[in-house]
Amino acid sequence: MNLDQRVRRDEAAARTASVAAEQALDERRGSLGPFDTRDKPTDAQLRRQAWDKDHRGSVETIAVHAFHAMVEVVTEVRGRNGEFEEKSQLWYASENSATNEVFGAGESRISVLSWSHPGVQLALSGELNEYYDIKANGYRLSGLETTARARFDAVLPEISGLYEPGGPVRAATKTVPKVGLKAVKLAMTADQVAAFVSRMTGLMVVTGAPGSGKTTVAFQRIRFLFDQQSERLNSARTVPFTVDRTRIFLANPNLVAYSRKMLVEQLEIPAQVVELVDPFIGDLLDGYWAFTHGARPRQRHLTALEERARRAYFGLCRADMLGKLWLTYERQIGERLAQVSEALWADVKMDAASRPLSATLARSLAACARRAGDNSTPLSSAVRLDGIFSQVARPYETFRQELAPAARDVFDEAFQRALFHIYDPLDALAAAFAPGRMEGGGRIARGTGHQARESEVLDALAADWVERRYGPEEEPWLAWLLRFALSEVEDPQGQGRFRLMPGALDAVGGQQERWTHVALDEAQDLSVAEASLLTSFVHPEGAVTVSADFRQAVTPTKGMEDAGALSVGSPLRDKQAKTTFRFGRNMRQSKQIGRFLQEFHEAAFGELPSFDVNPNLNDAKPRLILAPPAEQPRRIAQLLNVLRRSADMKSIAILQINEQEEVLTRLRVALEELGIALAPPFEAVGQKGIITTSVERIKGLEFDACIVLGLEEAERATLNFTLNRAYVALSRPARRLAMVCEHTPSLLQRMDGGLYDVAAL
């Protein structure tokens, strides 16, 4: 078939699909009535309503726009009996569809598939006439070969787009891409698609350069799992992916509104799936720690430096600290179980018949001490409460039933106190961390740039532990311990677990409604305790999606250097179902900024960059502006006035590599005196005026133009992750980059001078 024939065929298909979709809308209006709101809807009703909403939306968009891509493929599909069937197929795809729609039958059949269909993605991103085997991915579709394809700017009233083979047909002029998170949908790169369709379960880690689409693909995978879960083999017997059972965790408050906008407006995913890490963990700990034995949040006011030191002490731990902490916890549990006696519930009034039962229960609990060992892996620990309950359930239940109701209530409260003493997380935290003063001091030094007095901070921490005080920096670790200690059985009032004890999964819907998909964005900025804790809530047959670039850890006091913590306490049943994808192309920035960033990466980190530049966007070279500090505001104001004359420069930010509030305040005063309108200090999104902030507050964001300050100090700084912050700052602009320095930074002196222009007084 030649180009003209394909164009005529596709124009006719667009008209037919549009008319058929409009007819389908007329026929189906009101076909699904609401369920009875007096009762809670069943899962089947909720899924049916979700599908009906998506189906209606898909048909509505097809009625207006028909489709946005075409692929001719030879597919291999696994049949019901396991045999493979090969067939030639013509598919169309809509970038606004969430369901696969078929209009007509036989030779007049027109299939308009969702943009998230794995076959569509492979057909659009792979090489023509090359077979792709995806048998191992768990789909009914086991392989395909693409013989022709096209992407359309429009199809009604006539085709406008690009055919392969064939070439352009009335193709529209390319527009300059806008900054901000955006769904790529039908224009993903081959490596993005490889991650996107790799599998529907297990752990997927997406990493790569700034602007390579990590967050975009991680978020799009959520929509993919919603839409295409029926394409899985044995889909009826697998866990469902639904809005209520999906969560995205963000560490940066500035990213919340930014991410929700993309999810809601471009992917039609409700904003309720997004959670901010700190408040979630704070609420989780409040729900877990029902009896604290006097432990309470620290009230003493700390200096900013001591707060930073404490955050670094806990936030910069490596993943192996999780194993050391659990090992300490298990030993504590064993020691305290061995000391159990009837004295723990001495306030209970018992008759003579109950006393032998009380003694039996005490002996049974004490005998469980033998289950404690040298175990550093929480999920396999024999002294988790589920394991202990299974050993003492009979004497525990028998004794409770023998008590009068009032005595039973007293016993339950006393027993709760006893368990929270045995499983006290603060004592275990203190015992595990206290011996490592040298390592802890090193973390404090890196996180504060050697400004804090490590020994004084460590002594103050030890004093707080004696007084049973803790701070927000300790909450993830305390919650982590209790999450793995508490019961996962969903039977708080029956006979499934100890009474009055909270459940480990109560906050995530319980075992029956456990989350099936957990996504972590910018995971490098989490502590190891946070990363392990959040991923532990996923269903064993579910999916975890992680977006991270460990060269972009920017917070001096918290961050991970690798993905090791993600496997600690992971409940995923298929431990081999871990895939890591490194995206290789910087799609955010101009070719000029991309080349500059490549060489900066090599100069800063001593390794070759693992990403390519974007060849499709050309702009000016980065500029180095040399001026003494007193002259810098004037030079910045001049540059801002030039940038604001361009219609393409809609978002402009002045970024400090390190957060220096006094320096930024002086700069803001000087700029305002020069007539520059500024957004509020340290605000990063949704503001009018020039943004002035630090790298820590804009991680994950991007702008049309950035002016970076403090690059000359980056290499000699002692503060943790300073080079990372410089790298992130230079990677925020899409079109224009300027660096304002007192002198040429040593890092730039090691780079090719032809990659940037120099302007001096």
Side-chain angles (χ1 to χ4, degrees):
M1 183 178 291
N2 61 32
L3 177 61
D4 289 339
Q5 291 172 319
R6 285 194 170 101
V7 172
R8 288 195 297 272
R9 178 199 65 190
D10 296 341
E11 285 179 338
R15 291 190 292 270
T16 301
S18 178
V19 171
E22 188 61 49
Q23 291 174 345
L25 286 173
D26 290 337
E27 294 170 0
R28 294 179 184 234
R29 292 190 205 282
S31 62
L32 183 71
F35 52 77
D36 189 344
T37 55
R38 291 174 297 181
D39 297 318
K40 182 179 178 181
T42 65
D43 288 344
Q45 287 174 318
L46 290 172
R47 287 196 294 271
R48 171 64 181 172
Q49 280 218 325
W51 179 88
D52 187 68
K53 176 179 177 294
D54 289 341
H55 165 67
R56 287 176 182 273
S58 297
V59 176
E60 285 170 357
T61 192
I62 293 169
V64 177
H65 300 291
F67 43 74
H68 302 91
M70 175 278 296
V71 293
E72 297 174 21
V73 293
V74 178
T75 63
E76 190 176 60
V77 181
R78 193 190 307 264
R80 292 182 178 178
N81 297 322
E83 74 283 359
F84 294 100
E85 178 184 358
E86 184 176 289
K87 62 172 69 175
S88 296
Q89 299 195 65
L90 170 64
W91 292 335
Y92 296 100
S94 168
E95 66 180 17
N96 298 319
S97 289
T99 56
N100 304 321
E101 302 295 335
V102 177
F103 304 99
E107 293 184 359
S108 62
R109 172 189 175 104
I110 298 174
S111 299
V112 183
L113 306 186
S114 163
W115 65 270
S116 57
H117 190 281
V120 168
Q121 290 296 338
L122 289 166
L124 288 173
S125 63
E127 297 293 330
L128 289 179
N129 302 310
E130 184 172 327
Y131 179 77
Y132 287 87
D133 188 340
I134 56 172
K135 290 185 179 71
N137 291 24
Y139 305 119
R140 290 181 293 175
L141 176 69
S142 60
L144 88 167
E145 178 181 341
T146 309
T147 56
R149 61 192 173 201
R151 290 183 177 87
F152 305 120
D153 303 312
V155 293
L156 296 171
E158 58 184 5
I159 291 288
S160 170
L162 177 66
Y163 279 84
E164 299 177 76
V169 176
R170 296 183 290 272
T173 304
K174 288 186 177 181
T175 58
V176 175
K178 297 179 180 179
V179 297
L181 286 176
K182 44 197 168 291
V184 183
K185 294 188 176 179
L186 295 175
M188 283 190 249
T189 63
D191 54 352
Q192 288 174 336
V193 170
F196 195 70
V197 306
S198 61
R199 61 186 305 135
M200 287 193 169
T201 59
L203 170 63
M204 185 176 85
V205 180
V206 179
T207 185
S212 58
K214 299 183 298 296
T215 295
T216 291
V217 172
F219 286 2
Q220 289 184 176
R221 190 185 190 218
I222 297 170
R223 183 77 253 178
F224 168 62
L225 294 182
F226 287 169
D227 297 348
Q228 304 302 328
Q229 53 190 309
S230 62
E231 296 298 313
R232 293 179 289 180
L233 293 168
N234 302 318
S235 61
R237 296 193 295 274
T238 53
V239 295
F241 296 110
T242 61
V243 170
D244 290 342
R245 300 178 71 175
T246 298
R247 286 298 182 275
I248 301 171
F249 285 100
L250 304 175
N252 181 359
N254 284 327
L255 277 177
V256 172
Y258 197 62
S259 300
R260 283 176 173 161
K261 182 178 176 65
M262 174 193 176
L263 290 164
V264 173
E265 295 181 3
Q266 300 182 50
L267 297 174
E268 296 185 0
I269 297 172
Q272 70 191 59
V273 303
V274 178
E275 296 266 8
L276 194 58
V277 171
D278 287 347
F280 173 81
I281 291 179
D283 291 344
L284 189 72
L285 183 61
D286 287 343
Y288 278 168
W289 213 358
F291 195 91
T292 65
H293 288 280
R296 60 182 186 270
R298 181 183 63 238
Q299 299 298 316
R300 181 170 64 88
H301 176 72
L302 304 183
T303 66
L305 183 59
E306 187 176 356
E307 282 186 1
R308 199 156 65 240
R310 290 189 179 216
R311 289 198 301 269
Y313 179 76
F314 291 100
L316 297 179
C317 290
R318 297 177 182 272
D320 62 354
M321 189 62 206
L322 295 170
K324 295 176 184 176
L325 178 58
W326 187 264
L327 180 62
T328 302
Y329 197 37
E330 179 156 310
R331 290 172 178 170
Q332 169 189 299
I333 294 166
E335 291 169 0
R336 295 184 181 185
L337 280 171
Q339 298 168 6
V340 168
S341 70
E342 294 175 88
L344 294 176
W345 49 89
D347 295 338
V348 180
K349 294 181 180 180
M350 292 177 278
D351 56 28
S354 300
R355 293 191 180 282
L357 296 174
S358 175
T360 300
L361 174 59
R363 288 194 300 272
S364 297
L365 280 168
C368 289
R370 295 193 295 268
R371 297 170 62 85
D374 292 333
N375 191 346
S376 61
T377 306
L379 283 180
S380 63
S381 174
V383 293
R384 298 175 68 192
L385 275 172
D386 280 335
I388 299 300
F389 184 83
S390 68
Q391 295 297 304
V392 304
R394 179 173 294 179
Y396 171 77
E397 296 291 352
T398 303
F399 175 53
R400 285 188 77 256
Q401 292 306 314
E402 283 295 320
L403 295 173
R408 190 181 305 146
D409 291 341
V410 174
F411 168 75
D412 286 343
E413 292 179 5
F415 199 78
Q416 180 200 49
R417 291 196 301 272
L419 288 178
F420 273 112
H421 168 69
I422 294 167
Y423 288 85
D424 187 87
L426 188 56
D427 285 349
L429 187 77
F433 275 86
R437 286 181 67 94
M438 182 176 294
E439 296 88 343
R443 295 193 297 272
I444 291 171
R446 295 199 309 275
T448 64
H450 293 277
Q451 294 180 42
R453 296 183 177 180
E454 293 94 350
S455 60
E456 292 182 4
V457 174
L458 294 170
D459 289 344
L461 270 169
D464 280 349
W465 291 333
V466 170
E467 297 177 0
R468 294 189 62 75
R469 303 291 183 268
Y470 62 91
E473 61 280 355
E474 289 150 282
E475 289 183 358
W477 298 85
L478 298 170
W480 184 85
L481 286 170
L482 289 172
R483 182 265 173 269
F484 291 109
L486 293 172
S487 174
E488 294 187 359
V489 173
E490 193 174 18
D491 189 17
Q493 301 303 322
Q495 298 183 0
R497 68 191 198 208
F498 295 116
R499 307 306 191 277
L500 301 186
M501 295 300 290
L505 302 178
D506 290 353
V508 301
Q511 195 67 260
Q512 296 301 314
E513 297 296 326
R514 191 171 181 171
W515 295 335
T516 53
H517 189 187
V518 172
L520 309 182
D521 188 36
E522 301 288 345
Q524 73 277 354
D525 292 317
L526 299 172
S527 70
V528 294
E530 290 169 338
S532 175
L533 174 64
L534 297 174
T535 55
S536 75
F537 291 120
V538 75
H539 192 284
E541 303 294 342
V544 174
T545 304
V546 176
S547 164
D549 178 2
F550 298 102
R551 285 300 190 194
Q552 292 189 62
V554 297
T555 303
T557 58
K558 187 170 72 171
M560 299 190 298
E561 297 179 3
D562 56 48
L566 300 172
S567 300
V568 179
S570 171
L572 292 172
R573 190 155 291 143
D574 185 357
K575 301 301 182 183
Q576 304 304 313
K578 176 183 177 181
T579 48
T580 301
F581 294 91
R582 175 171 288 279
F583 293 169
R585 175 164 292 176
N586 181 338
M587 303 299 293
R588 172 188 299 152
Q589 297 172 304
S590 69
K591 179 165 61 177
Q592 290 76 13
I593 296 178
R595 287 176 174 170
F596 175 87
L597 197 62
Q598 279 182 322
E599 192 141 340
F600 181 87
H601 184 284
E602 185 173 355
F605 303 121
E607 61 186 32
L608 292 174
S610 56
F611 61 91
D612 297 324
V613 301
N614 181 0
N616 300 319
L617 180 59
N618 282 288
D619 212 302
K621 289 181 183 179
R623 171 183 276 191
L624 173 63
I625 298 174
L626 299 176
E631 282 295 315
Q632 289 182 8
R634 182 178 64 83
R635 298 301 302 276
I636 292 172
Q638 291 173 344
L639 178 58
L640 289 172
N641 288 328
V642 172
L643 289 172
R644 289 188 299 181
R645 293 191 197 115
S646 171
D648 294 331
M649 299 295 114
K650 292 183 173 60
S651 58
I652 304 172
I654 299 172
L655 304 180
Q656 285 183 317
I657 289 178
N658 290 328
E659 189 163 308
Q660 300 168 310
E661 191 166 349
E662 292 181 2
V663 174
L664 185 64
T665 299
R666 290 196 298 269
L667 175 62
R668 287 177 57 87
V669 170
L671 290 175
E672 288 175 333
E673 290 175 350
L674 292 167
I676 303 298
L678 303 175
F682 292 113
E683 293 294 329
V685 292
Q687 298 291 337
K688 294 182 179 179
I690 304 300
I691 290 169
T692 57
T693 188
S694 65
V695 174
E696 288 179 57
R697 301 180 189 236
I698 50 82
K699 53 193 175 187
L701 305 180
E702 56 187 68
F703 307 91
D704 292 308
C706 289
I707 301 170
V708 176
L709 309 177
L711 189 59
E712 66 268 52
E713 303 171 5
E715 195 167 27
R716 65 172 183 266
T718 56
L719 201 61
N720 200 42
F721 298 140
T722 298
L723 288 178
N724 288 18
R725 285 198 298 283
Y727 176 61
V728 170
L730 298 173
S731 68
R732 294 307 97 189
R735 305 290 302 279
R736 302 289 173 82
L737 168 63
M739 300 154 285
V740 178
C741 302
E742 186 174 359
H743 55 79
T744 302
S746 57
L747 283 166
L748 267 58
Q749 292 176 18
R750 301 203 297 270
M751 294 170 54
D752 179 359
L755 294 174
Y756 58 94
D757 294 326
V758 180
L761 287 175

PDB file of all heavy atoms in Angstrom, residues 431-455:
ATOM      1  N   ALA A 431      19.309   2.273  71.556  1.00  0.00           N
ATOM      2  CA  ALA A 431      20.309   1.210  71.694  1.00  0.00           C
ATOM      3  C   ALA A 431      21.051   0.956  70.395  1.00  0.00           C
ATOM      4  O   ALA A 431      22.246   0.619  70.408  1.00  0.00           O
ATOM      5  CB  ALA A 431      19.626  -0.073  72.171  1.00  0.00           C
ATOM      6  N   ALA A 432      20.381   1.110  69.259  1.00  0.00           N
ATOM      7  CA  ALA A 432      21.022   0.842  67.976  1.00  0.00           C
ATOM      8  C   ALA A 432      21.922   1.986  67.526  1.00  0.00           C
ATOM      9  O   ALA A 432      22.999   1.763  66.959  1.00  0.00           O
ATOM     10  CB  ALA A 432      19.956   0.569  66.915  1.00  0.00           C
ATOM     11  N   PHE A 433      21.503   3.209  67.793  1.00  0.00           N
ATOM     12  CA  PHE A 433      22.255   4.355  67.290  1.00  0.00           C
ATOM     13  C   PHE A 433      23.370   4.806  68.223  1.00  0.00           C
ATOM     14  O   PHE A 433      24.400   5.305  67.768  1.00  0.00           O
ATOM     15  CB  PHE A 433      21.308   5.531  67.031  1.00  0.00           C
ATOM     16  CG  PHE A 433      20.641   5.503  65.679  1.00  0.00           C
ATOM     17  CD1 PHE A 433      19.473   4.792  65.480  1.00  0.00           C
ATOM     18  CD2 PHE A 433      21.200   6.174  64.612  1.00  0.00           C
ATOM     19  CE1 PHE A 433      18.854   4.761  64.243  1.00  0.00           C
ATOM     20  CE2 PHE A 433      20.602   6.156  63.359  1.00  0.00           C
ATOM     21  CZ  PHE A 433      19.431   5.445  63.169  1.00  0.00           C
ATOM     22  N   ALA A 434      23.173   4.666  69.522  1.00  0.00           N
ATOM     23  CA  ALA A 434      24.127   5.231  70.476  1.00  0.00           C
ATOM     24  C   ALA A 434      25.567   4.744  70.296  1.00  0.00           C
ATOM     25  O   ALA A 434      26.507   5.539  70.420  1.00  0.00           O
ATOM     26  CB  ALA A 434      23.651   4.961  71.903  1.00  0.00           C
ATOM     27  N   PRO A 435      25.816   3.452  70.015  1.00  0.00           N
ATOM     28  CA  PRO A 435      27.220   3.010  69.924  1.00  0.00           C
ATOM     29  C   PRO A 435      27.992   3.612  68.745  1.00  0.00           C
ATOM     30  O   PRO A 435      29.222   3.672  68.791  1.00  0.00           O
ATOM     31  CB  PRO A 435      27.095   1.482  69.763  1.00  0.00           C
ATOM     32  CG  PRO A 435      25.728   1.140  70.266  1.00  0.00           C
ATOM     33  CD  PRO A 435      24.880   2.305  69.917  1.00  0.00           C
ATOM     34  N   GLY A 436      27.329   4.044  67.704  1.00  0.00           N
ATOM     35  CA  GLY A 436      28.037   4.507  66.508  1.00  0.00           C
ATOM     36  C   GLY A 436      28.302   5.990  66.521  1.00  0.00           C
ATOM     37  O   GLY A 436      27.902   6.719  65.590  1.00  0.00           O
ATOM     38  N   ARG A 437      28.985   6.490  67.559  1.00  0.00           N
ATOM     39  CA  ARG A 437      29.226   7.932  67.667  1.00  0.00           C
ATOM     40  C   ARG A 437      30.107   8.449  66.531  1.00  0.00           C
ATOM     41  O   ARG A 437      29.881   9.547  66.016  1.00  0.00           O
ATOM     42  CB  ARG A 437      29.856   8.273  69.021  1.00  0.00           C
ATOM     43  CG  ARG A 437      28.887   8.207  70.186  1.00  0.00           C
ATOM     44  CD  ARG A 437      29.566   8.580  71.487  1.00  0.00           C
ATOM     45  NE  ARG A 437      29.983   9.968  71.541  1.00  0.00           N
ATOM     46  CZ  ARG A 437      29.244  10.951  72.064  1.00  0.00           C
ATOM     47  NH1 ARG A 437      28.034  10.695  72.561  1.00  0.00           N
ATOM     48  NH2 ARG A 437      29.709  12.192  72.097  1.00  0.00           N
ATOM     49  N   MET A 438      31.109   7.680  66.155  1.00  0.00           N
ATOM     50  CA  MET A 438      32.008   8.153  65.103  1.00  0.00           C
ATOM     51  C   MET A 438      31.266   8.286  63.774  1.00  0.00           C
ATOM     52  O   MET A 438      31.353   9.313  63.092  1.00  0.00           O
ATOM     53  CB  MET A 438      33.199   7.212  64.937  1.00  0.00           C
ATOM     54  CG  MET A 438      34.209   7.673  63.876  1.00  0.00           C
ATOM     55  SD  MET A 438      35.663   6.602  63.790  1.00  0.00           S
ATOM     56  CE  MET A 438      36.381   6.909  65.408  1.00  0.00           C
ATOM     57  N   GLU A 439      30.500   7.237  63.418  1.00  0.00           N
ATOM     58  CA  GLU A 439      29.745   7.300  62.164  1.00  0.00           C
ATOM     59  C   GLU A 439      28.690   8.392  62.218  1.00  0.00           C
ATOM     60  O   GLU A 439      28.479   9.123  61.246  1.00  0.00           O
ATOM     61  CB  GLU A 439      29.076   5.957  61.879  1.00  0.00           C
ATOM     62  CG  GLU A 439      30.044   4.806  61.648  1.00  0.00           C
ATOM     63  CD  GLU A 439      30.436   4.109  62.954  1.00  0.00           C
ATOM     64  OE1 GLU A 439      30.223   4.710  64.035  1.00  0.00           O
ATOM     65  OE2 GLU A 439      30.945   2.982  62.881  1.00  0.00           O
ATOM     66  N   GLY A 440      28.017   8.510  63.383  1.00  0.00           N
ATOM     67  CA  GLY A 440      27.003   9.551  63.525  1.00  0.00           C
ATOM     68  C   GLY A 440      27.594  10.940  63.436  1.00  0.00           C
ATOM     69  O   GLY A 440      27.011  11.839  62.820  1.00  0.00           O
ATOM     70  N   GLY A 441      28.761  11.120  64.037  1.00  0.00           N
ATOM     71  CA  GLY A 441      29.429  12.415  63.939  1.00  0.00           C
ATOM     72  C   GLY A 441      29.805  12.751  62.507  1.00  0.00           C
ATOM     73  O   GLY A 441      29.733  13.915  62.087  1.00  0.00           O
ATOM     74  N   GLY A 442      30.184  11.734  61.752  1.00  0.00           N
ATOM     75  CA  GLY A 442      30.508  11.966  60.342  1.00  0.00           C
ATOM     76  C   GLY A 442      29.293  12.420  59.550  1.00  0.00           C
ATOM     77  O   GLY A 442      29.394  13.304  58.679  1.00  0.00           O
ATOM     78  N   ARG A 443      28.143  11.830  59.844  1.00  0.00           N
ATOM     79  CA  ARG A 443      26.920  12.252  59.153  1.00  0.00           C
ATOM     80  C   ARG A 443      26.569  13.693  59.512  1.00  0.00           C
ATOM     81  O   ARG A 443      26.155  14.477  58.652  1.00  0.00           O
ATOM     82  CB  ARG A 443      25.761  11.311  59.498  1.00  0.00           C
ATOM     83  CG  ARG A 443      25.949   9.889  59.008  1.00  0.00           C
ATOM     84  CD  ARG A 443      24.665   9.080  59.080  1.00  0.00           C
ATOM     85  NE  ARG A 443      24.150   8.906  60.430  1.00  0.00           N
ATOM     86  CZ  ARG A 443      24.493   7.928  61.255  1.00  0.00           C
ATOM     87  NH1 ARG A 443      25.406   7.035  60.890  1.00  0.00           N
ATOM     88  NH2 ARG A 443      23.943   7.827  62.461  1.00  0.00           N
ATOM     89  N   ILE A 444      26.739  14.045  60.770  1.00  0.00           N
ATOM     90  CA  ILE A 444      26.463  15.421  61.197  1.00  0.00           C
ATOM     91  C   ILE A 444      27.414  16.385  60.492  1.00  0.00           C
ATOM     92  O   ILE A 444      27.002  17.456  60.018  1.00  0.00           O
ATOM     93  CB  ILE A 444      26.599  15.544  62.726  1.00  0.00           C
ATOM     94  CG1 ILE A 444      25.467  14.770  63.410  1.00  0.00           C
ATOM     95  CG2 ILE A 444      26.581  17.004  63.160  1.00  0.00           C
ATOM     96  CD1 ILE A 444      25.624  14.646  64.915  1.00  0.00           C
ATOM     97  N   ALA A 445      28.694  16.013  60.403  1.00  0.00           N
ATOM     98  CA  ALA A 445      29.676  16.889  59.755  1.00  0.00           C
ATOM     99  C   ALA A 445      29.334  17.115  58.288  1.00  0.00           C
ATOM    100  O   ALA A 445      29.399  18.240  57.781  1.00  0.00           O
ATOM    101  CB  ALA A 445      31.072  16.281  59.895  1.00  0.00           C
ATOM    102  N   ARG A 446      28.944  16.042  57.587  1.00  0.00           N
ATOM    103  CA  ARG A 446      28.604  16.189  56.165  1.00  0.00           C
ATOM    104  C   ARG A 446      27.348  17.026  55.977  1.00  0.00           C
ATOM    105  O   ARG A 446      27.244  17.814  55.039  1.00  0.00           O
ATOM    106  CB  ARG A 446      28.412  14.814  55.524  1.00  0.00           C
ATOM    107  CG  ARG A 446      29.655  13.951  55.482  1.00  0.00           C
ATOM    108  CD  ARG A 446      29.537  12.848  54.454  1.00  0.00           C
ATOM    109  NE  ARG A 446      28.301  12.075  54.576  1.00  0.00           N
ATOM    110  CZ  ARG A 446      28.125  11.043  55.399  1.00  0.00           C
ATOM    111  NH1 ARG A 446      29.114  10.686  56.213  1.00  0.00           N
ATOM    112  NH2 ARG A 446      26.986  10.373  55.426  1.00  0.00           N
ATOM    113  N   GLY A 447      26.397  16.847  56.880  1.00  0.00           N
ATOM    114  CA  GLY A 447      25.130  17.551  56.721  1.00  0.00           C
ATOM    115  C   GLY A 447      25.167  19.004  57.113  1.00  0.00           C
ATOM    116  O   GLY A 447      24.309  19.786  56.682  1.00  0.00           O
ATOM    117  N   THR A 448      26.151  19.399  57.941  1.00  0.00           N
ATOM    118  CA  THR A 448      26.240  20.794  58.390  1.00  0.00           C
ATOM    119  C   THR A 448      27.483  21.498  57.884  1.00  0.00           C
ATOM    120  O   THR A 448      27.715  22.655  58.249  1.00  0.00           O
ATOM    121  CB  THR A 448      26.237  20.853  59.933  1.00  0.00           C
ATOM    122  OG1 THR A 448      27.411  20.190  60.437  1.00  0.00           O
ATOM    123  CG2 THR A 448      24.990  20.201  60.505  1.00  0.00           C
ATOM    124  N   GLY A 449      28.276  20.812  57.068  1.00  0.00           N
ATOM    125  CA  GLY A 449      29.513  21.431  56.596  1.00  0.00           C
ATOM    126  C   GLY A 449      30.499  21.676  57.711  1.00  0.00           C
ATOM    127  O   GLY A 449      31.222  22.682  57.710  1.00  0.00           O
ATOM    128  N   HIS A 450      30.535  20.769  58.692  1.00  0.00           N
ATOM    129  CA  HIS A 450      31.442  20.841  59.849  1.00  0.00           C
ATOM    130  C   HIS A 450      31.168  22.062  60.731  1.00  0.00           C
ATOM    131  O   HIS A 450      32.035  22.466  61.517  1.00  0.00           O
ATOM    132  CB  HIS A 450      32.907  20.848  59.399  1.00  0.00           C
ATOM    133  CG  HIS A 450      33.343  19.570  58.762  1.00  0.00           C
ATOM    134  ND1 HIS A 450      33.758  18.474  59.464  1.00  0.00           N
ATOM    135  CD2 HIS A 450      33.400  19.216  57.441  1.00  0.00           C
ATOM    136  CE1 HIS A 450      34.069  17.489  58.618  1.00  0.00           C
ATOM    137  NE2 HIS A 450      33.854  17.919  57.383  1.00  0.00           N
ATOM    138  N   GLN A 451      29.985  22.637  60.642  1.00  0.00           N
ATOM    139  CA  GLN A 451      29.682  23.808  61.467  1.00  0.00           C
ATOM    140  C   GLN A 451      29.197  23.419  62.859  1.00  0.00           C
ATOM    141  O   GLN A 451      29.389  24.172  63.817  1.00  0.00           O
ATOM    142  CB  GLN A 451      28.609  24.660  60.778  1.00  0.00           C
ATOM    143  CG  GLN A 451      29.066  25.285  59.465  1.00  0.00           C
ATOM    144  CD  GLN A 451      27.961  26.111  58.842  1.00  0.00           C
ATOM    145  OE1 GLN A 451      27.254  26.839  59.542  1.00  0.00           O
ATOM    146  NE2 GLN A 451      27.797  26.011  57.541  1.00  0.00           N
ATOM    147  N   ALA A 452      28.555  22.267  62.984  1.00  0.00           N
ATOM    148  CA  ALA A 452      28.027  21.852  64.287  1.00  0.00           C
ATOM    149  C   ALA A 452      29.105  21.141  65.102  1.00  0.00           C
ATOM    150  O   ALA A 452      30.041  20.546  64.548  1.00  0.00           O
ATOM    151  CB  ALA A 452      26.835  20.919  64.093  1.00  0.00           C
ATOM    152  N   ARG A 453      28.985  21.205  66.402  1.00  0.00           N
ATOM    153  CA  ARG A 453      29.867  20.460  67.298  1.00  0.00           C
ATOM    154  C   ARG A 453      29.258  19.086  67.503  1.00  0.00           C
ATOM    155  O   ARG A 453      28.304  18.922  68.278  1.00  0.00           O
ATOM    156  CB  ARG A 453      30.034  21.193  68.621  1.00  0.00           C
ATOM    157  CG  ARG A 453      30.734  22.547  68.458  1.00  0.00           C
ATOM    158  CD  ARG A 453      30.959  23.218  69.797  1.00  0.00           C
ATOM    159  NE  ARG A 453      31.682  24.466  69.645  1.00  0.00           N
ATOM    160  CZ  ARG A 453      32.021  25.278  70.650  1.00  0.00           C
ATOM    161  NH1 ARG A 453      31.663  24.937  71.900  1.00  0.00           N
ATOM    162  NH2 ARG A 453      32.676  26.391  70.427  1.00  0.00           N
ATOM    163  N   GLU A 454      29.836  18.109  66.814  1.00  0.00           N
ATOM    164  CA  GLU A 454      29.218  16.783  66.771  1.00  0.00           C
ATOM    165  C   GLU A 454      29.022  16.184  68.153  1.00  0.00           C
ATOM    166  O   GLU A 454      27.962  15.613  68.452  1.00  0.00           O
ATOM    167  CB  GLU A 454      30.061  15.827  65.908  1.00  0.00           C
ATOM    168  CG  GLU A 454      30.089  16.177  64.428  1.00  0.00           C
ATOM    169  CD  GLU A 454      31.293  17.041  64.063  1.00  0.00           C
ATOM    170  OE1 GLU A 454      31.981  17.507  65.015  1.00  0.00           O
ATOM    171  OE2 GLU A 454      31.539  17.253  62.872  1.00  0.00           O
ATOM    172  N   SER A 455      30.024  16.285  69.016  1.00  0.00           N
ATOM    173  CA  SER A 455      29.925  15.644  70.334  1.00  0.00           C
ATOM    174  C   SER A 455      28.790  16.244  71.154  1.00  0.00           C
ATOM    175  O   SER A 455      28.081  15.529  71.873  1.00  0.00           O
ATOM    176  CB  SER A 455      31.250  15.770  71.090  1.00  0.00           C
ATOM    177  OG  SER A 455      31.580  17.142  71.288  1.00  0.00           O
TER     178      SER A 455
END
